Amino acid sequence: MAIDFGDLKVYERMTQDPRFEDAYQGCLSCGTCESLCPAGQFYDYNPREVVEATGRADEAELRNWLENKIWYCAQCCSCKFRCPRGNSAADLVMILRDIAVEKGWAKEALEKYTRILKTILTVGNQLSPDMIAPDFFPDWGPRVAEMSKHKKEWRAELGIPGLMPIDRSWAVPAHVIKELLDIWKLSGAMDRVEATNPFLVELAWDNIEEALEDEKQAAEASHT
Amino acid sequence: MENVVVIGGGPAGLKAAAELRSLGLDVALVEKAGVLGGTPVQEKFALLAPELRPAEEVVGALVKAVQQDGVQVHLNSTVTAVAGQGKDFTLTVQNGKGEERLQAGAVIIATGYEHFDPSVKPEYGYGVFPDVITSAQLEGMLSDGKVVRPSNGQVPKKVAILQCIGSRDAQVERKYCCRVGCVVASKQAVELRQKYPDMQVYIFYMDIRTYGRGFEELYWKAQDDFGVRFIRGRGAEVRRRGDELLLKAEETLKARASETPFDMVVLTVGMGPSEGTKAMASLFGLPVAEDGFVEPADRMLAPVSTKAAGVFVAGTALGPKDIEDAALEGAAAALRAAAYLKGGK
């Protein structure tokens, strides 16, 4: 997808982000970030490039990243916690992603996350413990694997409902979701969703109206 | 009172003591260890860069000068208290047998450095994988004449030397350069290749900083005559696969990350202020800089003087440096102390 950047000054816009000061210090070009980057193992992706491009205020390279590469990062933040210079390529990527979302350039990249976004907007969370299996993360060690094996019984004993991937890890009451939506609206997050997925915003508000009504009826029923 | 107490018996303190004697002053030298020579002796340095002279020959000469010049040497001793002020100090010195008091007109602090402890950065596996060792440990092996993998006692076939471990690293609050790591690694690589011509030796670096006279020549020699392989990129992580170590690093000049097997990984560890340096700074009320080393009165104009009258500093208590520079500072501090006692400032 070719982006029409208009007169956007990418570097200047990045420096206005409150995260920028912590995210970029300078660069030793040591390669620690790239050595550890899981995305770098699978894509033509090198976090050092975005850090160095930022240091040079390299407008062409930053635009190049906005076109595509910013979507390869998994936000694992290995780079952030190991960089000897105290940079965070992950945060620079996040700043660029926010620019892309704000400008409406993120549609294609975020399309595949529509279902997740919908779940968050309608039920308050989208993670279920079953979605993350220890088989995929051997570095978690034997303790987590053991805990995972018994999670059904343990959760039942603790009274925590929900475990299926299609469900959610815990139930969020409708009035709490309404509060979340209000917060997202006030903070501008809903505008960002709208820039990418306008129908989702509509759906979220419709959904919460119904859910609140259900909650109200359930409360009344339990009183009588 | 025309006598000086020198605290610390490494290259800087030894040189200071010998120079003070040559100026006719009485000198007492207080050393924490049971032997003179400082870190080069305690950690068994092998050859010294860049001339590849045995450390013993150089440091031995400094020790000999002190022993022959009538310096009063106190081994196994630490200064635990100070009373009085410039020209009339009383130092309390603790040794194995008890306490004694030393009178001094001036004091020279030459309490040195200690190597960075790489277990603070667990990603390198130091203390977990036996074949990950420090540059100081390699130095000891070279001195003993045999370099082997601690895991199996075999000579390693392929060695990676990782630069800047605990240097130039904001993650561990060590932003500064150790100044000697580049030439030490070049030297160690030359020694390894000299001794074991079949061994492959790689040095992973960010920048090669061979600032000293003869340093760059040794770096060239490592490439020209000894086939040492220099890879531009900081070693990032070490893990184990069976019998071998896997090193993650980006070859930055090719923008290519890789994981490469090695038999042994050597961590070129940085330099920080020693416990003794921290203790003496606190005892004498000397300011320390952000890097933890003693801040002299003026880095350019009064580099071995301090804000405390009659207290002088030399060597790696003032920051990382090589033996030559440490000894030079020892001589400079001796001159300042003597001038101070002769009525100057």
Side-chain angles (χ1 to χ4, degrees), chain A residues 4-24:
Chain A
D4 176 12
F5 287 96
D7 57 359
L8 174 70
K9 299 264 191 298
V10 182
Y11 175 75
E12 224 176 276
R13 171 66 187 74
M14 288 173 80
T15 59
Q16 287 156 13
D17 191 290
R19 290 166 290 189
F20 184 81
E21 206 183 320
D22 285 336
Y24 180 75

Side-chain angles (χ1 to χ4, degrees), chain A residues 3-220:
Chain A
I3 292 176
D4 176 12
F5 287 96
D7 57 359
L8 174 70
K9 299 264 191 298
V10 182
Y11 175 75
E12 224 176 276
R13 171 66 187 74
M14 288 173 80
T15 59
Q16 287 156 13
D17 191 290
R19 290 166 290 189
F20 184 81
E21 206 183 320
D22 285 336
Y24 180 75
Q25 317 297 328
C27 182
L28 294 165
S29 305
C30 71
T32 300
C33 53
E34 164 66 355
S35 307
L36 301 167
C37 179
Q41 289 182 27
F42 296 98
Y43 302 110
D44 175 19
Y45 179 86
N46 184 337
R48 187 165 57 82
E49 280 174 11
V50 76
V51 177
E52 291 183 9
T54 304
R56 293 192 304 267
D58 185 335
E59 208 58 20
E61 183 68 12
L62 291 170
R63 285 182 171 199
N64 183 28
W65 271 64
L66 265 171
E67 295 262 3
N68 204 10
K69 286 193 175 177
I70 51 170
W71 304 109
Y72 296 161
C73 168
Q75 288 288 304
C76 74
C77 294
S78 301
C79 51
K80 177 176 183 163
F81 296 114
R82 293 274 181 85
C83 172
R85 197 69 172 79
N87 295 315
S88 172
D91 286 340
L92 292 175
V93 161
M94 213 54 206
I95 292 169
L96 287 169
R97 281 183 184 177
D98 276 350
I99 297 172
V101 168
E102 186 186 290
K103 299 280 181 189
W105 301 331
K107 270 185 196 166
E108 200 183 317
L110 292 182
E111 222 160 34
K112 46 188 174 287
Y113 302 106
T114 306
R115 197 181 63 83
I116 294 173
L117 202 48
K118 180 195 154 226
T119 318
I120 293 171
L121 290 173
T122 53
V123 303
N125 70 72
Q126 59 91 24
L127 275 178
S128 151
D130 272 2
M131 293 171 72
I132 310 167
D135 308 4
F136 297 127
F137 302 93
D139 50 323
W140 286 357
R143 193 176 134 73
V144 174
E146 187 63 18
M147 281 166 68
S148 181
K149 215 193 286 177
H150 302 294
K151 67 177 169 242
K152 276 199 170 145
E153 301 98 89
W154 292 3
R155 287 175 69 92
E157 203 155 302
L158 291 167
I160 306 171
L163 246 194
M164 302 301 288
I166 49 163
D167 199 351
R168 48 203 141 136
S169 43
W170 65 91
V172 181
H175 66 275
V176 176
I177 298 173
K178 170 70 167 52
E179 264 187 72
L180 282 172
L181 292 181
D182 288 340
I183 291 168
W184 289 333
K185 190 173 177 205
L186 281 170
S187 63
M190 289 301 252
D191 294 339
R192 284 159 184 272
V193 177
E194 194 149 26
T196 311
N197 264 321
F199 73 95
L200 265 186
V201 175
E202 210 173 307
L203 186 144
W205 291 114
D206 286 352
N207 172 76
I208 197 60
E209 252 172 61
E210 267 179 52
L212 283 171
E213 191 55 39
D214 291 350
E215 194 177 71
K216 205 169 133 194
Q217 278 172 16
E220 278 164 9

Side-chain angles (χ1 to χ4, degrees), chain B residues 40 45-55 58-59 139 187 191 323:
Chain B
F45 285 12
L47 300 181
L48 293 185
E51 292 182 291
L52 306 181
R53 286 167 73 182
V58 176
V59 183
E139 206 61 39
K187 185 232 38 155
E191 274 191 87
I323 290 175

Side-chain angles (χ1 to χ4, degrees), chain B residues 15 25 28 30 48 59-60 69 107 139 221 224 257 280 282-283:
Chain B
K15 188 70 176 170
L25 294 153
V30 180
L48 293 185
V59 183
D69 290 349
V107 174
E139 206 61 39
K221 186 175 169 146
D224 296 350
M280 290 308 107
S282 146
L283 200 61

